[in-house]
Amino acid sequence: MSIYNIKNNMSMNIVDFGTPPDGLSEDWTTTVVRFHGFANLTTTRVVASPEFSCFGHQWKVAIWPGGRSNSEEGYAAVTLANFSTTSIKIQYSYSVRKENGKEVVYHESRTEEFSAASEDKNARSVKNFVKRSKLMESLVYGSLVIEVRMKLPSTATTDKSITQFIPTNPLYKNVLQKFMDEETADVVFEVDNESSQNGEEHTNKKSRSTTTFYAHRFILQDVSTMLAELCKPAEDGIITVSITDVKPGIFKHMIYYTYGGKLSEDEVKTNAKDIINACDKYGLVHLKLEAEAVYVKSTEFTMENIMDNLLYADAKNLALLKEVVMDYIVSNKGDIIGKVSLDIFPGHLATDLLTAVARGEETEGEGNSTDCNKMRVGTLRKMLDEKGLDVDGSREAMIALLKEESA
């Protein structure tokens, strides 16, 4: 005889062998709600059960045979509602079984607060409970039988809604702490205090003074191939490198950056060109591009300085600065003609100029074209960086690299 024989109302005594699964543990209270003649219920309305009692509260279960307005097509919805005058927090789940007792639907338990009947949130719904077609296949003598399982949450249960503190990966902090760590360093930089970035060296060796920087080759070699080459291992394990073409303060910025240090925008702005020059010389690409962006942002471009900036951008391979200069020339072409000498305009930059003209003719004028030949430098660099490719190149080089990668 089936335990879901609708015609038999005898009570049942349940004996478990082994440990019951979570959905059937002994502290659950199960209420069987039967919707008779389910096949004849309208799919456009909700049908609610009579009230039943559990944990000192009155409850109703409602079934939406055709689903709620936010249900997916073909799904039925189910709602559990608290009809008592006080709120309660419970853990609950649903189950549907066929006549032979086989479970065909199990809705995973959830823990929620049910407000008092007179307040909002006294009911909780499952909008996509199960497909109506599956319920139709699971009827017991034409009735839909739903088990409503409820229990009070354990006081020992952790409230998962509380934000937990998770410490960050300490690698960044640990690496930065090694900056200027003399004890573990295997590279010593002796930077001439009279260093100049224009190629001039301090020639009076007697009065020469230096600033010492301690570093680690294994960090430098992945940031700059130039520095890695200078820091080839010595026989005694300690490498001493003389630097005569970068100011000590700028060199400190460079080394600090290689250890993950972040320079303030004011620091970069004050020393933008010196940082660009040093990073271009020693191959610190990312700091160079950061300084370039700050320089572009902080510089007021005028008729008087536009050509100087163009030549500087060309000499240091600053694609962003070059793009901004070209945009300025195109936007002010009427004023530039006859006022700015173009005799020194580098002929190999004609493509950059034509690209700026083409962008200016676009409807939106923002250069957001899907054609990489018209893309902004920032977009090209972002695409290259996402692919792990070199971002320090001219427009032509970046475009060629992207095309090669996608070929």
Side-chain angles (χ1 to χ4, degrees):
M1 179 178 63
S2 168
I3 64 171
Y4 279 92
N5 191 332
I6 299 298
K7 300 177 182 179
N8 191 329
N9 293 320
M10 70 173 66
S11 62
M12 295 178 292
N13 184 30
I14 300 176
V15 178
D16 290 315
F17 171 78
T19 302
D22 183 63
L24 291 174
S25 59
E26 59 183 11
D27 53 348
W28 286 89
T29 297
T30 300
T31 301
V32 178
V33 180
R34 304 186 297 202
F35 293 92
H36 301 298
F38 179 79
N40 298 321
L41 297 179
T42 176
T43 59
T44 59
R45 297 179 58 187
V46 59
V47 179
S49 73
E51 289 187 12
F52 60 91
S53 180
C54 187
F55 301 122
H57 284 65
Q58 296 301 114
W59 305 87
K60 284 187 179 182
V61 172
I63 189 76
W64 309 67
R68 304 189 64 170
S69 60
N70 60 347
S71 299
E72 292 182 14
E73 183 68 27
Y75 276 80
V78 66
T79 298
L80 177 64
N82 173 30
F83 277 80
S84 295
T85 57
T86 57
S87 63
I88 184 174
K89 187 175 186 178
I90 63 164
Q91 186 175 350
Y92 66 100
S93 67
Y94 301 102
S95 176
V96 175
R97 298 178 185 270
K98 288 187 175 182
E99 181 192 358
N100 61 7
K102 180 180 179 181
E103 186 176 62
V104 292
V105 177
Y106 172 70
H107 188 267
E108 189 174 353
S109 66
R110 58 175 68 179
T111 301
E112 293 183 293
E113 182 83 25
F114 286 76
S115 302
S118 60
E119 301 175 4
D120 292 336
K121 296 185 179 180
N122 75 309
R124 301 289 182 172
S125 296
V126 180
K127 63 181 180 180
N128 297 316
F129 178 53
V130 66
K131 286 193 173 183
R132 173 179 165 80
S133 58
K134 190 167 186 177
L135 292 180
M136 294 295 292
E137 297 171 355
S138 308
L139 300 182
V140 181
Y141 293 100
S143 299
L144 173 63
V145 182
I146 300 179
E147 288 184 4
V148 185
R149 301 167 181 166
M150 305 167 68
K151 75 173 183 177
L152 296 175
S154 170
T155 55
T157 301
T158 300
D159 187 349
K160 294 183 179 181
S161 65
I162 298 175
T163 301
Q164 301 295 331
F165 169 74
I166 301 176
T168 57
N169 189 318
L171 177 62
Y172 164 76
K173 182 177 68 174
N174 293 343
V175 172
L176 190 56
Q177 286 178 342
K178 293 300 180 183
F179 173 65
M180 291 292 286
D181 184 14
E182 180 178 355
E183 184 177 345
T184 61
D186 56 5
V187 177
V188 178
F189 290 103
E190 298 288 351
V191 182
D192 193 335
N193 289 332
E194 300 297 326
S195 294
S196 171
Q197 290 180 302
N198 59 10
E200 299 176 3
E201 296 186 17
H202 182 59
T203 56
N204 189 346
K205 295 183 179 181
K206 290 184 178 181
S207 61
R208 178 182 177 184
S209 63
T210 61
T211 299
T212 301
F213 295 93
Y214 299 96
H216 304 79
R217 186 176 187 275
F218 82 97
I219 292 178
L220 301 177
Q221 65 185 1
D222 290 329
V223 179
S224 165
T225 55
M226 177 67 173
L227 289 178
E229 183 66 22
L230 289 174
C231 301
K232 288 183 178 180
E235 293 182 2
D236 59 358
I238 302 296
I239 309 157
T240 301
V241 180
S242 178
I243 302 294
T244 60
D245 52 6
V246 178
K247 299 174 184 177
I250 301 303
F251 195 81
K252 181 178 181 180
H253 286 326
M254 289 171 53
I255 301 301
Y256 181 66
Y257 184 88
T258 66
Y259 281 76
K262 177 67 176 176
L263 304 182
S264 70
E265 185 170 331
D266 285 341
E267 286 177 320
V268 179
K269 179 180 176 180
T270 302
N271 303 284
K273 276 196 169 184
D274 283 342
I275 292 174
I276 291 172
N277 296 341
C279 289
D280 183 65
K281 184 173 297 184
Y282 286 97
L284 270 70
V285 172
H286 292 81
L287 180 56
K288 171 187 171 182
L289 300 189
E290 183 177 328
E292 178 195 19
V294 172
Y295 178 78
V296 167
K297 179 181 176 181
S298 60
T299 300
E300 180 182 356
F301 296 97
T302 65
M303 298 288 179
E304 289 72 26
N305 68 21
I306 198 65
M307 288 307 298
D308 288 339
N309 276 297
L310 177 60
L311 296 176
Y312 180 64
D314 188 40
K316 300 300 177 181
N317 201 15
L318 302 173
L320 176 62
L321 177 58
K322 203 181 300 181
E323 178 181 80
V324 172
V325 171
M326 294 300 182
D327 286 343
Y328 180 91
I329 292 174
V330 171
S331 299
N332 299 276
K333 53 184 178 292
D335 296 328
I336 287 178
I337 296 175
K339 296 181 181 179
V340 177
S341 174
L342 299 178
D343 293 341
I344 56 174
F345 186 94
H348 61 273
L349 298 184
T351 300
D352 294 84
L353 182 59
L354 291 174
T355 301
V357 172
R359 275 199 309 268
E361 293 175 348
E362 290 182 348
T363 304
E364 296 182 359
E366 295 296 329
N368 295 324
S369 172
T370 56
D371 180 359
C372 62
N373 292 303
K374 297 180 183 179
M375 286 180 181
R376 289 284 185 186
V377 166
T379 302
L380 292 172
R381 285 176 174 172
K382 182 174 184 295
M383 293 172 67
L384 288 168
D385 187 62
E386 290 173 347
K387 295 176 182 292
L389 302 174
D390 184 16
V391 296
D392 185 28
S394 64
R395 284 187 54 85
E396 292 80 1
M398 289 190 286
I399 292 170
L401 197 54
L402 283 172
K403 289 182 177 179
E404 180 183 342
E405 176 69 13
S406 59

